[in-house]
Amino acid sequence: MRSNVTGAALQLALLVVGVPVVYLVAFPFGLTARSLLPPLGLLAGLVVAGVLVKRTSQPVSGPLTGWLVFGACLALSLVI
């Protein structure tokens, strides 16, 4: 039960933290490939987290992977 709550909190945190970060990073640059990476990363992170939560017996692993996908897209957009 506790891991379910932790997993849900991590996934909610991904959404709550991810949306403002997407606005701060993506939108000042206009519509470019660089600006599309953070929103796509957030969407991919949420989808991956949701799929993994349903398929694994460890609910925390899904949101952690979602955070990893979002972070990787965010880092890639800052490097480019």
Side-chain angles (χ1 to χ4, degrees):
M1 176 70 179
R2 186 173 187 158
S3 62
N4 287 340
V5 173
T6 304
L10 282 171
Q11 195 162 5
L12 180 63
L14 176 60
L15 188 60
V16 170
V17 170
V19 171
V21 168
V22 163
Y23 276 102
L24 287 173
V25 172
F27 289 105
F29 299 107
L31 190 61
T32 62
R34 177 182 181 181
S35 69
L36 290 176
L37 279 172
L40 290 176
L42 179 60
L43 181 62
L46 290 169
V47 169
V48 165
V51 168
L52 286 179
V53 163
K54 290 180 182 177
R55 292 191 177 194
T56 65
S57 60
Q58 295 180 338
V60 176
S61 65
L64 288 178
T65 307
W67 273 99
L68 184 66
V69 169
F70 177 57
C73 288
L74 195 61
L76 186 61
S77 71
L78 293 174
V79 168
I80 295 175

